Amino acid sequence: MTDAVKKTNLLGLSQGDLEQFLIARNERPFRAKQIMQWIYQRAVDDFDLMTDLSKSLRAELQASAEFVPPKVLQRFDSTDGCVKWLFSSGSGQAVETVFIPEADRGTLCISSQVGCALDCSFCATGAQGFNRNLTSAEIIGQVRHAIADLPRRGNGEAAISNVVFMGMGEPLANYRNVVPVLELLVSDWAYGMSRRRVTVSTSGIVPHINKLADDCNVALAVSLHAPSDELRDQIVPINKLHPISTLLDACWKYAEKRSNRFITFEYVMLRGVNDSIAHANQLAELLKDKPAKVNLIPFNPFPGTEFKRSSADTIRHFQSRLRERGLVATTRRTRGDDIDAACGQLAGKVSDRVKKRLGDKSIGQKTTGDEDIRISSA
Ligand code: SAH
Ligand code: SF4
């Protein structure tokens, strides 16, 4: 009896990897474009239906390739039009994906990891610890499923116009699997989205911000949340490794490579922690005369958290102060309340809660998922 051949999952392969797969089978590399169109644009996953491929290539694909999307466990519909899907990530764990419809756009918020190692003190995903990186297939599979599961808008446009990596996990800690997904999102042979409509949100893994600028310069959002290292060290522990000045330098370089398009700075409003007018002044000072806009996020509580949301008045005053100081500042509207779909509330269901604390010298160095990023206490 011969050993079964391990099949390659074509979902999530970058164009380059798909071309290599074909070359290794003596096929012409341009077939990759056709296969990508079938998978992503026509949502076909049966190789026999890919009729512009030769019979022999289809037979080869049947023998050595497969198509394995992530398994959908559940769909939740909010009364405000938001939709949340729960995808299985194996061993009783799950990740979440959220669709947020607005008048002029439809945003899909996707997950990149099961849990997160970075342990920001106000985040439900961080509270569960890191479990594992999602594969490219599991990440792009969220987009593919959502597209198929949502009706087109009234005007015939696709439901999803924007994709943001603001679900569970730190995308730049899963760099090698996230970059092929970014390529597929913007590729003319896959989803063909504008780079302005794809946003990576990061808490500040500086070496990978620098790399991303060269590899796939999509829009960047940075979770700043505090205007001083003293405060940021406490609520965003990665700051001990990459402090604010280093982070902002990387941001301005990134913006320069994108013709000075704005970087969005996310700032979660935590009552009595980072929400005073003095904090607003400090923040304005940091970002003045730079290609920056600030998005204030009212804190979304989750079971067990000690933080509270700043009052609506405090958020308004904070935003006004930023605007008086010349910054572009907006406040994110909280959506999908009835299905727990808001920022920072996504917790999936992780049975193996591996709590990893940053800054705990007794634990020492640990990885965030990519072996090449080491995190240690400063
Ligand atoms: N790891 C990435 C992306 C996922 S989190 C990052 O940190 O940027 C997406 C956004 O939600 C981040 O700005 C994050 O700081 C914010 N967030 C996390 N917990 C939150 C909470 N409980 N309430 C409001 N926003 C939260
Ligand atoms: Fe991780 Fe982002 Fe949550 Fe921080 S805010 S713990 S980086 S998912």
Side-chain angles (χ1 to χ4, degrees), residues 122-124 165-167 169-171 201-203 223 225 266 268 297-300 302 332 343-345:
F122 48 83
C123 173
F165 282 75
M166 293 185 190
E170 167 52 53
S201 175
T202 178
S203 58
S223 296
H225 304 318
E266 295 158 286
V268 64
I297 314 176
F299 170 66
N300 294 307
F302 55 90
R332 191 173 297 170
C343 259
Q345 286 182 324

mmCIF file with all atom_site columns, all heavy atoms in Angstrom, residues 122-124 165-167 169-171 201-203 223 225 266 268 297-300 302 332 343-345, ligand 1:
data_model
loop_
_atom_site.group_PDB
_atom_site.id
_atom_site.type_symbol
_atom_site.label_atom_id
_atom_site.label_alt_id
_atom_site.label_comp_id
_atom_site.label_asym_id
_atom_site.label_entity_id
_atom_site.label_seq_id
_atom_site.pdbx_PDB_ins_code
_atom_site.Cartn_x
_atom_site.Cartn_y
_atom_site.Cartn_z
_atom_site.occupancy
_atom_site.B_iso_or_equiv
_atom_site.pdbx_formal_charge
_atom_site.auth_seq_id
_atom_site.auth_comp_id
_atom_site.auth_asym_id
_atom_site.auth_atom_id
_atom_site.pdbx_PDB_model_num
ATOM   1   N N   . PHE A 1 122 ? -6.978  46.102 28.448 1.00 0.00 ? 122 PHE A N   1
ATOM   2   C CA  . PHE A 1 122 ? -8.401  46.427 28.290 1.00 0.00 ? 122 PHE A CA  1
ATOM   3   C C   . PHE A 1 122 ? -9.070  45.556 27.219 1.00 0.00 ? 122 PHE A C   1
ATOM   4   O O   . PHE A 1 122 ? -10.146 45.874 26.732 1.00 0.00 ? 122 PHE A O   1
ATOM   5   C CB  . PHE A 1 122 ? -8.532  47.902 27.860 1.00 0.00 ? 122 PHE A CB  1
ATOM   6   C CG  . PHE A 1 122 ? -7.585  48.203 26.726 1.00 0.00 ? 122 PHE A CG  1
ATOM   7   C CD1 . PHE A 1 122 ? -7.932  47.900 25.430 1.00 0.00 ? 122 PHE A CD1 1
ATOM   8   C CD2 . PHE A 1 122 ? -6.327  48.719 26.982 1.00 0.00 ? 122 PHE A CD2 1
ATOM   9   C CE1 . PHE A 1 122 ? -7.044  48.105 24.389 1.00 0.00 ? 122 PHE A CE1 1
ATOM   10  C CE2 . PHE A 1 122 ? -5.422  48.933 25.936 1.00 0.00 ? 122 PHE A CE2 1
ATOM   11  C CZ  . PHE A 1 122 ? -5.787  48.623 24.640 1.00 0.00 ? 122 PHE A CZ  1
ATOM   12  N N   . CYS A 1 123 ? -8.424  44.446 26.802 1.00 0.00 ? 123 CYS A N   1
ATOM   13  C CA  . CYS A 1 123 ? -8.881  43.691 25.620 1.00 0.00 ? 123 CYS A CA  1
ATOM   14  C C   . CYS A 1 123 ? -9.279  42.262 25.986 1.00 0.00 ? 123 CYS A C   1
ATOM   15  O O   . CYS A 1 123 ? -8.499  41.534 26.606 1.00 0.00 ? 123 CYS A O   1
ATOM   16  C CB  . CYS A 1 123 ? -7.767  43.689 24.578 1.00 0.00 ? 123 CYS A CB  1
ATOM   17  S SG  . CYS A 1 123 ? -8.121  42.633 23.158 1.00 0.00 ? 123 CYS A SG  1
ATOM   18  N N   . ALA A 1 124 ? -10.479 41.883 25.574 1.00 0.00 ? 124 ALA A N   1
ATOM   19  C CA  . ALA A 1 124 ? -10.984 40.539 25.895 1.00 0.00 ? 124 ALA A CA  1
ATOM   20  C C   . ALA A 1 124 ? -10.151 39.452 25.210 1.00 0.00 ? 124 ALA A C   1
ATOM   21  O O   . ALA A 1 124 ? -9.918  38.383 25.779 1.00 0.00 ? 124 ALA A O   1
ATOM   22  C CB  . ALA A 1 124 ? -12.445 40.416 25.464 1.00 0.00 ? 124 ALA A CB  1
ATOM   23  N N   . PHE A 1 165 ? -8.246  44.464 9.760  1.00 0.00 ? 165 PHE A N   1
ATOM   24  C CA  . PHE A 1 165 ? -7.722  43.418 10.660 1.00 0.00 ? 165 PHE A CA  1
ATOM   25  C C   . PHE A 1 165 ? -7.875  43.914 12.091 1.00 0.00 ? 165 PHE A C   1
ATOM   26  O O   . PHE A 1 165 ? -6.897  44.225 12.763 1.00 0.00 ? 165 PHE A O   1
ATOM   27  C CB  . PHE A 1 165 ? -6.255  43.122 10.341 1.00 0.00 ? 165 PHE A CB  1
ATOM   28  C CG  . PHE A 1 165 ? -6.059  42.265 9.131  1.00 0.00 ? 165 PHE A CG  1
ATOM   29  C CD1 . PHE A 1 165 ? -6.230  42.774 7.858  1.00 0.00 ? 165 PHE A CD1 1
ATOM   30  C CD2 . PHE A 1 165 ? -5.690  40.932 9.259  1.00 0.00 ? 165 PHE A CD2 1
ATOM   31  C CE1 . PHE A 1 165 ? -6.042  41.980 6.734  1.00 0.00 ? 165 PHE A CE1 1
ATOM   32  C CE2 . PHE A 1 165 ? -5.499  40.127 8.134  1.00 0.00 ? 165 PHE A CE2 1
ATOM   33  C CZ  . PHE A 1 165 ? -5.681  40.659 6.867  1.00 0.00 ? 165 PHE A CZ  1
ATOM   34  N N   . MET A 1 166 ? -9.131  44.012 12.536 1.00 0.00 ? 166 MET A N   1
ATOM   35  C CA  . MET A 1 166 ? -9.388  44.524 13.887 1.00 0.00 ? 166 MET A CA  1
ATOM   36  C C   . MET A 1 166 ? -10.182 43.523 14.702 1.00 0.00 ? 166 MET A C   1
ATOM   37  O O   . MET A 1 166 ? -10.822 43.869 15.693 1.00 0.00 ? 166 MET A O   1
ATOM   38  C CB  . MET A 1 166 ? -10.137 45.858 13.825 1.00 0.00 ? 166 MET A CB  1
ATOM   39  C CG  . MET A 1 166 ? -9.304  46.979 13.233 1.00 0.00 ? 166 MET A CG  1
ATOM   40  S SD  . MET A 1 166 ? -10.152 48.551 13.304 1.00 0.00 ? 166 MET A SD  1
ATOM   41  C CE  . MET A 1 166 ? -9.066  49.563 12.294 1.00 0.00 ? 166 MET A CE  1
ATOM   42  N N   . GLY A 1 167 ? -10.172 42.260 14.250 1.00 0.00 ? 167 GLY A N   1
ATOM   43  C CA  . GLY A 1 167 ? -10.834 41.223 15.035 1.00 0.00 ? 167 GLY A CA  1
ATOM   44  C C   . GLY A 1 167 ? -9.869  40.684 16.076 1.00 0.00 ? 167 GLY A C   1
ATOM   45  O O   . GLY A 1 167 ? -9.104  41.434 16.677 1.00 0.00 ? 167 GLY A O   1
ATOM   46  N N   . GLY A 1 169 ? -6.654  38.997 17.672 1.00 0.00 ? 169 GLY A N   1
ATOM   47  C CA  . GLY A 1 169 ? -5.245  38.763 17.361 1.00 0.00 ? 169 GLY A CA  1
ATOM   48  C C   . GLY A 1 169 ? -4.500  39.981 16.851 1.00 0.00 ? 169 GLY A C   1
ATOM   49  O O   . GLY A 1 169 ? -5.100  40.999 16.494 1.00 0.00 ? 169 GLY A O   1
ATOM   50  N N   . GLU A 1 170 ? -3.180  39.846 16.835 1.00 0.00 ? 170 GLU A N   1
ATOM   51  C CA  . GLU A 1 170 ? -2.289  40.909 16.366 1.00 0.00 ? 170 GLU A CA  1
ATOM   52  C C   . GLU A 1 170 ? -1.764  40.493 14.985 1.00 0.00 ? 170 GLU A C   1
ATOM   53  O O   . GLU A 1 170 ? -0.909  39.601 14.874 1.00 0.00 ? 170 GLU A O   1
ATOM   54  C CB  . GLU A 1 170 ? -1.150  41.081 17.382 1.00 0.00 ? 170 GLU A CB  1
ATOM   55  C CG  . GLU A 1 170 ? 0.012   41.911 16.911 1.00 0.00 ? 170 GLU A CG  1
ATOM   56  C CD  . GLU A 1 170 ? -0.368  43.280 16.344 1.00 0.00 ? 170 GLU A CD  1
ATOM   57  O OE1 . GLU A 1 170 ? -1.071  44.046 17.019 1.00 0.00 ? 170 GLU A OE1 1
ATOM   58  O OE2 . GLU A 1 170 ? 0.058   43.571 15.209 1.00 0.00 ? 170 GLU A OE2 1
ATOM   59  N N   . PRO A 1 171 ? -2.277  41.133 13.910 1.00 0.00 ? 171 PRO A N   1
ATOM   60  C CA  . PRO A 1 171 ? -1.900  40.670 12.563 1.00 0.00 ? 171 PRO A CA  1
ATOM   61  C C   . PRO A 1 171 ? -0.397  40.693 12.303 1.00 0.00 ? 171 PRO A C   1
ATOM   62  O O   . PRO A 1 171 ? 0.128   39.812 11.624 1.00 0.00 ? 171 PRO A O   1
ATOM   63  C CB  . PRO A 1 171 ? -2.647  41.627 11.629 1.00 0.00 ? 171 PRO A CB  1
ATOM   64  C CG  . PRO A 1 171 ? -3.161  42.729 12.475 1.00 0.00 ? 171 PRO A CG  1
ATOM   65  C CD  . PRO A 1 171 ? -3.244  42.235 13.878 1.00 0.00 ? 171 PRO A CD  1
ATOM   66  N N   . SER A 1 201 ? -4.474  46.711 11.504 1.00 0.00 ? 201 SER A N   1
ATOM   67  C CA  . SER A 1 201 ? -4.410  47.411 12.790 1.00 0.00 ? 201 SER A CA  1
ATOM   68  C C   . SER A 1 201 ? -3.381  46.712 13.662 1.00 0.00 ? 201 SER A C   1
ATOM   69  O O   . SER A 1 201 ? -3.416  45.491 13.813 1.00 0.00 ? 201 SER A O   1
ATOM   70  C CB  . SER A 1 201 ? -5.794  47.366 13.459 1.00 0.00 ? 201 SER A CB  1
ATOM   71  O OG  . SER A 1 201 ? -5.730  47.936 14.745 1.00 0.00 ? 201 SER A OG  1
ATOM   72  N N   . THR A 1 202 ? -2.456  47.490 14.222 1.00 0.00 ? 202 THR A N   1
ATOM   73  C CA  . THR A 1 202 ? -1.410  46.873 15.046 1.00 0.00 ? 202 THR A CA  1
ATOM   74  C C   . THR A 1 202 ? -1.206  47.648 16.337 1.00 0.00 ? 202 THR A C   1
ATOM   75  O O   . THR A 1 202 ? -1.363  48.873 16.372 1.00 0.00 ? 202 THR A O   1
ATOM   76  C CB  . THR A 1 202 ? -0.073  46.807 14.277 1.00 0.00 ? 202 THR A CB  1
ATOM   77  O OG1 . THR A 1 202 ? 0.909   46.232 15.150 1.00 0.00 ? 202 THR A OG1 1
ATOM   78  C CG2 . THR A 1 202 ? 0.415   48.174 13.821 1.00 0.00 ? 202 THR A CG2 1
ATOM   79  N N   . SER A 1 203 ? -0.834  46.902 17.366 1.00 0.00 ? 203 SER A N   1
ATOM   80  C CA  . SER A 1 203 ? -0.506  47.571 18.622 1.00 0.00 ? 203 SER A CA  1
ATOM   81  C C   . SER A 1 203 ? 0.939   48.064 18.596 1.00 0.00 ? 203 SER A C   1
ATOM   82  O O   . SER A 1 203 ? 1.388   48.677 19.550 1.00 0.00 ? 203 SER A O   1
ATOM   83  C CB  . SER A 1 203 ? -0.743  46.616 19.776 1.00 0.00 ? 203 SER A CB  1
ATOM   84  O OG  . SER A 1 203 ? 0.036   45.471 19.570 1.00 0.00 ? 203 SER A OG  1
ATOM   85  N N   . SER A 1 223 ? -2.719  51.171 17.293 1.00 0.00 ? 223 SER A N   1
ATOM   86  C CA  . SER A 1 223 ? -3.429  51.257 18.573 1.00 0.00 ? 223 SER A CA  1
ATOM   87  C C   . SER A 1 223 ? -2.541  51.972 19.581 1.00 0.00 ? 223 SER A C   1
ATOM   88  O O   . SER A 1 223 ? -1.739  51.337 20.251 1.00 0.00 ? 223 SER A O   1
ATOM   89  C CB  . SER A 1 223 ? -3.766  49.841 19.056 1.00 0.00 ? 223 SER A CB  1
ATOM   90  O OG  . SER A 1 223 ? -4.657  49.242 18.156 1.00 0.00 ? 223 SER A OG  1
ATOM   91  N N   . HIS A 1 225 ? -3.473  54.564 22.167 1.00 0.00 ? 225 HIS A N   1
ATOM   92  C CA  . HIS A 1 225 ? -4.182  54.472 23.453 1.00 0.00 ? 225 HIS A CA  1
ATOM   93  C C   . HIS A 1 225 ? -3.581  55.250 24.613 1.00 0.00 ? 225 HIS A C   1
ATOM   94  O O   . HIS A 1 225 ? -4.196  55.317 25.687 1.00 0.00 ? 225 HIS A O   1
ATOM   95  C CB  . HIS A 1 225 ? -4.354  53.012 23.895 1.00 0.00 ? 225 HIS A CB  1
ATOM   96  C CG  . HIS A 1 225 ? -5.046  52.143 22.897 1.00 0.00 ? 225 HIS A CG  1
ATOM   97  N ND1 . HIS A 1 225 ? -6.145  52.547 22.187 1.00 0.00 ? 225 HIS A ND1 1
ATOM   98  C CD2 . HIS A 1 225 ? -4.788  50.881 22.481 1.00 0.00 ? 225 HIS A CD2 1
ATOM   99  C CE1 . HIS A 1 225 ? -6.537  51.581 21.380 1.00 0.00 ? 225 HIS A CE1 1
ATOM   100 N NE2 . HIS A 1 225 ? -5.727  50.562 21.525 1.00 0.00 ? 225 HIS A NE2 1
ATOM   101 N N   . GLU A 1 266 ? -5.671  54.688 16.834 1.00 0.00 ? 266 GLU A N   1
ATOM   102 C CA  . GLU A 1 266 ? -6.831  54.299 17.641 1.00 0.00 ? 266 GLU A CA  1
ATOM   103 C C   . GLU A 1 266 ? -6.529  54.629 19.104 1.00 0.00 ? 266 GLU A C   1
ATOM   104 O O   . GLU A 1 266 ? -5.391  54.482 19.576 1.00 0.00 ? 266 GLU A O   1
ATOM   105 C CB  . GLU A 1 266 ? -7.082  52.795 17.473 1.00 0.00 ? 266 GLU A CB  1
ATOM   106 C CG  . GLU A 1 266 ? -7.489  52.436 16.052 1.00 0.00 ? 266 GLU A CG  1
ATOM   107 C CD  . GLU A 1 266 ? -7.223  50.975 15.710 1.00 0.00 ? 266 GLU A CD  1
ATOM   108 O OE1 . GLU A 1 266 ? -6.044  50.626 15.510 1.00 0.00 ? 266 GLU A OE1 1
ATOM   109 O OE2 . GLU A 1 266 ? -8.189  50.200 15.679 1.00 0.00 ? 266 GLU A OE2 1
ATOM   110 N N   . VAL A 1 268 ? -8.492  54.091 22.739 1.00 0.00 ? 268 VAL A N   1
ATOM   111 C CA  . VAL A 1 268 ? -9.645  53.583 23.497 1.00 0.00 ? 268 VAL A CA  1
ATOM   112 C C   . VAL A 1 268 ? -9.866  54.476 24.709 1.00 0.00 ? 268 VAL A C   1
ATOM   113 O O   . VAL A 1 268 ? -8.917  54.825 25.427 1.00 0.00 ? 268 VAL A O   1
ATOM   114 C CB  . VAL A 1 268 ? -9.418  52.096 23.893 1.00 0.00 ? 268 VAL A CB  1
ATOM   115 C CG1 . VAL A 1 268 ? -8.247  51.921 24.829 1.00 0.00 ? 268 VAL A CG1 1
ATOM   116 C CG2 . VAL A 1 268 ? -10.664 51.490 24.522 1.00 0.00 ? 268 VAL A CG2 1
ATOM   117 N N   . ILE A 1 297 ? -12.148 55.338 20.481 1.00 0.00 ? 297 ILE A N   1
ATOM   118 C CA  . ILE A 1 297 ? -13.030 54.169 20.603 1.00 0.00 ? 297 ILE A CA  1
ATOM   119 C C   . ILE A 1 297 ? -13.563 54.123 22.033 1.00 0.00 ? 297 ILE A C   1
ATOM   120 O O   . ILE A 1 297 ? -12.784 53.919 22.969 1.00 0.00 ? 297 ILE A O   1
ATOM   121 C CB  . ILE A 1 297 ? -12.274 52.837 20.346 1.00 0.00 ? 297 ILE A CB  1
ATOM   122 C CG1 . ILE A 1 297 ? -11.385 52.926 19.101 1.00 0.00 ? 297 ILE A CG1 1
ATOM   123 C CG2 . ILE A 1 297 ? -13.244 51.673 20.238 1.00 0.00 ? 297 ILE A CG2 1
ATOM   124 C CD1 . ILE A 1 297 ? -10.542 51.664 18.861 1.00 0.00 ? 297 ILE A CD1 1
ATOM   125 N N   . PRO A 1 298 ? -14.867 54.332 22.210 1.00 0.00 ? 298 PRO A N   1
ATOM   126 C CA  . PRO A 1 298 ? -15.409 54.166 23.567 1.00 0.00 ? 298 PRO A CA  1
ATOM   127 C C   . PRO A 1 298 ? -15.114 52.742 24.029 1.00 0.00 ? 298 PRO A C   1
ATOM   128 O O   . PRO A 1 298 ? -15.355 51.788 23.285 1.00 0.00 ? 298 PRO A O   1
ATOM   129 C CB  . PRO A 1 298 ? -16.916 54.396 23.382 1.00 0.00 ? 298 PRO A CB  1
ATOM   130 C CG  . PRO A 1 298 ? -17.040 55.122 22.078 1.00 0.00 ? 298 PRO A CG  1
ATOM   131 C CD  . PRO A 1 298 ? -15.893 54.673 21.220 1.00 0.00 ? 298 PRO A CD  1
ATOM   132 N N   . PHE A 1 299 ? -14.575 52.596 25.225 1.00 0.00 ? 299 PHE A N   1
ATOM   133 C CA  . PHE A 1 299 ? -14.215 51.261 25.735 1.00 0.00 ? 299 PHE A CA  1
ATOM   134 C C   . PHE A 1 299 ? -15.453 50.356 25.761 1.00 0.00 ? 299 PHE A C   1
ATOM   135 O O   . PHE A 1 299 ? -16.520 50.762 26.194 1.00 0.00 ? 299 PHE A O   1
ATOM   136 C CB  . PHE A 1 299 ? -13.639 51.406 27.153 1.00 0.00 ? 299 PHE A CB  1
ATOM   137 C CG  . PHE A 1 299 ? -13.469 50.089 27.854 1.00 0.00 ? 299 PHE A CG  1
ATOM   138 C CD1 . PHE A 1 299 ? -12.548 49.154 27.384 1.00 0.00 ? 299 PHE A CD1 1
ATOM   139 C CD2 . PHE A 1 299 ? -14.228 49.771 28.971 1.00 0.00 ? 299 PHE A CD2 1
ATOM   140 C CE1 . PHE A 1 299 ? -12.385 47.925 28.026 1.00 0.00 ? 299 PHE A CE1 1
ATOM   141 C CE2 . PHE A 1 299 ? -14.072 48.549 29.616 1.00 0.00 ? 299 PHE A CE2 1
ATOM   142 C CZ  . PHE A 1 299 ? -13.155 47.627 29.143 1.00 0.00 ? 299 PHE A CZ  1
ATOM   143 N N   . ASN A 1 300 ? -15.276 49.133 25.302 1.00 0.00 ? 300 ASN A N   1
ATOM   144 C CA  . ASN A 1 300 ? -16.355 48.140 25.353 1.00 0.00 ? 300 ASN A CA  1
ATOM   145 C C   . ASN A 1 300 ? -16.058 47.142 26.458 1.00 0.00 ? 300 ASN A C   1
ATOM   146 O O   . ASN A 1 300 ? -15.065 46.426 26.378 1.00 0.00 ? 300 ASN A O   1
ATOM   147 C CB  . ASN A 1 300 ? -16.469 47.419 24.014 1.00 0.00 ? 300 ASN A CB  1
ATOM   148 C CG  . ASN A 1 300 ? -16.914 48.368 22.919 1.00 0.00 ? 300 ASN A CG  1
ATOM   149 O OD1 . ASN A 1 300 ? -17.919 49.043 23.052 1.00 0.00 ? 300 ASN A OD1 1
ATOM   150 N ND2 . ASN A 1 300 ? -16.132 48.473 21.866 1.00 0.00 ? 300 ASN A ND2 1
ATOM   151 N N   . PHE A 1 302 ? -16.162 43.915 29.075 1.00 0.00 ? 302 PHE A N   1
ATOM   152 C CA  . PHE A 1 302 ? -16.337 42.463 28.952 1.00 0.00 ? 302 PHE A CA  1
ATOM   153 C C   . PHE A 1 302 ? -16.231 41.890 30.350 1.00 0.00 ? 302 PHE A C   1
ATOM   154 O O   . PHE A 1 302 ? -15.690 42.554 31.255 1.00 0.00 ? 302 PHE A O   1
ATOM   155 C CB  . PHE A 1 302 ? -15.288 41.877 27.987 1.00 0.00 ? 302 PHE A CB  1
ATOM   156 C CG  . PHE A 1 302 ? -13.866 42.211 28.347 1.00 0.00 ? 302 PHE A CG  1
ATOM   157 C CD1 . PHE A 1 302 ? -13.110 41.395 29.177 1.00 0.00 ? 302 PHE A CD1 1
ATOM   158 C CD2 . PHE A 1 302 ? -13.279 43.385 27.859 1.00 0.00 ? 302 PHE A CD2 1
ATOM   159 C CE1 . PHE A 1 302 ? -11.795 41.729 29.506 1.00 0.00 ? 302 PHE A CE1 1
ATOM   160 C CE2 . PHE A 1 302 ? -11.962 43.723 28.192 1.00 0.00 ? 302 PHE A CE2 1
ATOM   161 C CZ  . PHE A 1 302 ? -11.225 42.885 29.021 1.00 0.00 ? 302 PHE A CZ  1
ATOM   162 N N   . ARG A 1 332 ? -15.572 56.469 17.211 1.00 0.00 ? 332 ARG A N   1
ATOM   163 C CA  . ARG A 1 332 ? -16.196 55.285 16.606 1.00 0.00 ? 332 ARG A CA  1
ATOM   164 C C   . ARG A 1 332 ? -17.535 55.000 17.279 1.00 0.00 ? 332 ARG A C   1
ATOM   165 O O   . ARG A 1 332 ? -17.638 54.997 18.498 1.00 0.00 ? 332 ARG A O   1
ATOM   166 C CB  . ARG A 1 332 ? -15.278 54.079 16.754 1.00 0.00 ? 332 ARG A CB  1
ATOM   167 C CG  . ARG A 1 332 ? -15.739 52.893 15.935 1.00 0.00 ? 332 ARG A CG  1
ATOM   168 C CD  . ARG A 1 332 ? -14.730 51.781 15.968 1.00 0.00 ? 332 ARG A CD  1
ATOM   169 N NE  . ARG A 1 332 ? -13.455 52.157 15.381 1.00 0.00 ? 332 ARG A NE  1
ATOM   170 C CZ  . ARG A 1 332 ? -12.353 51.413 15.461 1.00 0.00 ? 332 ARG A CZ  1
ATOM   171 N NH1 . ARG A 1 332 ? -12.381 50.270 16.116 1.00 0.00 ? 332 ARG A NH1 1
ATOM   172 N NH2 . ARG A 1 332 ? -11.235 51.805 14.890 1.00 0.00 ? 332 ARG A NH2 1
ATOM   173 N N   . CYS A 1 343 ? -15.551 46.185 19.114 1.00 0.00 ? 343 CYS A N   1
ATOM   174 C CA  . CYS A 1 343 ? -14.092 46.133 19.263 1.00 0.00 ? 343 CYS A CA  1
ATOM   175 C C   . CYS A 1 343 ? -13.692 45.653 20.646 1.00 0.00 ? 343 CYS A C   1
ATOM   176 O O   . CYS A 1 343 ? -14.172 46.170 21.638 1.00 0.00 ? 343 CYS A O   1
ATOM   177 C CB  . CYS A 1 343 ? -13.541 47.556 19.169 1.00 0.00 ? 343 CYS A CB  1
ATOM   178 S SG  . CYS A 1 343 ? -12.867 47.943 17.617 1.00 0.00 ? 343 CYS A SG  1
ATOM   179 N N   . GLY A 1 344 ? -12.801 44.699 20.689 1.00 0.00 ? 344 GLY A N   1
ATOM   180 C CA  . GLY A 1 344 ? -12.255 44.280 21.979 1.00 0.00 ? 344 GLY A CA  1
ATOM   181 C C   . GLY A 1 344 ? -13.143 43.318 22.737 1.00 0.00 ? 344 GLY A C   1
ATOM   182 O O   . GLY A 1 344 ? -12.765 42.795 23.780 1.00 0.00 ? 344 GLY A O   1
ATOM   183 N N   . GLN A 1 345 ? -14.339 43.056 22.198 1.00 0.00 ? 345 GLN A N   1
ATOM   184 C CA  . GLN A 1 345 ? -15.219 42.117 22.911 1.00 0.00 ? 345 GLN A CA  1
ATOM   185 C C   . GLN A 1 345 ? -15.146 40.726 22.305 1.00 0.00 ? 345 GLN A C   1
ATOM   186 O O   . GLN A 1 345 ? -15.753 39.795 22.813 1.00 0.00 ? 345 GLN A O   1
ATOM   187 C CB  . GLN A 1 345 ? -16.678 42.592 22.844 1.00 0.00 ? 345 GLN A CB  1
ATOM   188 C CG  . GLN A 1 345 ? -16.946 43.765 23.750 1.00 0.00 ? 345 GLN A CG  1
ATOM   189 C CD  . GLN A 1 345 ? -18.397 44.176 23.698 1.00 0.00 ? 345 GLN A CD  1
ATOM   190 O OE1 . GLN A 1 345 ? -19.031 44.111 22.656 1.00 0.00 ? 345 GLN A OE1 1
ATOM   191 N NE2 . GLN A 1 345 ? -18.927 44.605 24.829 1.00 0.00 ? 345 GLN A NE2 1
HETATM 192 N N1  . SAH B 2 .   ? -4.241  43.565 17.666 1.00 0.00 ? 1   SAH B N1  1
HETATM 193 C C1  . SAH B 2 .   ? -4.596  44.645 16.835 1.00 0.00 ? 1   SAH B C1  1
HETATM 194 C C2  . SAH B 2 .   ? -5.934  44.488 16.149 1.00 0.00 ? 1   SAH B C2  1
HETATM 195 C C3  . SAH B 2 .   ? -7.058  43.886 16.918 1.00 0.00 ? 1   SAH B C3  1
HETATM 196 S S1  . SAH B 2 .   ? -7.744  44.868 18.179 1.00 0.00 ? 1   SAH B S1  1
HETATM 197 C C4  . SAH B 2 .   ? -4.515  45.951 17.594 1.00 0.00 ? 1   SAH B C4  1
HETATM 198 O O1  . SAH B 2 .   ? -4.385  45.916 18.803 1.00 0.00 ? 1   SAH B O1  1
HETATM 199 O O2  . SAH B 2 .   ? -4.549  46.997 16.951 1.00 0.00 ? 1   SAH B O2  1
HETATM 200 C C5  . SAH B 2 .   ? -8.647  46.128 17.294 1.00 0.00 ? 1   SAH B C5  1
HETATM 201 C C6  . SAH B 2 .   ? -8.826  47.436 18.090 1.00 0.00 ? 1   SAH B C6  1
HETATM 202 O O3  . SAH B 2 .   ? -9.725  47.234 19.210 1.00 0.00 ? 1   SAH B O3  1
HETATM 203 C C7  . SAH B 2 .   ? -7.515  47.937 18.694 1.00 0.00 ? 1   SAH B C7  1
HETATM 204 O O4  . SAH B 2 .   ? -7.387  49.332 18.533 1.00 0.00 ? 1   SAH B O4  1
HETATM 205 C C8  . SAH B 2 .   ? -7.702  47.592 20.142 1.00 0.00 ? 1   SAH B C8  1
HETATM 206 O O5  . SAH B 2 .   ? -6.873  48.336 20.970 1.00 0.00 ? 1   SAH B O5  1
HETATM 207 C C9  . SAH B 2 .   ? -9.160  47.874 20.350 1.00 0.00 ? 1   SAH B C9  1
HETATM 208 N N2  . SAH B 2 .   ? -9.723  47.300 21.567 1.00 0.00 ? 1   SAH B N2  1
HETATM 209 C C10 . SAH B 2 .   ? -9.295  46.216 22.235 1.00 0.00 ? 1   SAH B C10 1
HETATM 210 N N3  . SAH B 2 .   ? -10.069 46.004 23.320 1.00 0.00 ? 1   SAH B N3  1
HETATM 211 C C11 . SAH B 2 .   ? -11.017 46.962 23.319 1.00 0.00 ? 1   SAH B C11 1
HETATM 212 C C12 . SAH B 2 .   ? -12.131 47.237 24.168 1.00 0.00 ? 1   SAH B C12 1
HETATM 213 N N4  . SAH B 2 .   ? -12.424 46.448 25.195 1.00 0.00 ? 1   SAH B N4  1
HETATM 214 N N5  . SAH B 2 .   ? -12.903 48.288 23.860 1.00 0.00 ? 1   SAH B N5  1
HETATM 215 C C13 . SAH B 2 .   ? -12.635 49.063 22.779 1.00 0.00 ? 1   SAH B C13 1
HETATM 216 N N6  . SAH B 2 .   ? -11.612 48.839 21.935 1.00 0.00 ? 1   SAH B N6  1
HETATM 217 C C14 . SAH B 2 .   ? -10.808 47.801 22.206 1.00 0.00 ? 1   SAH B C14 1
#
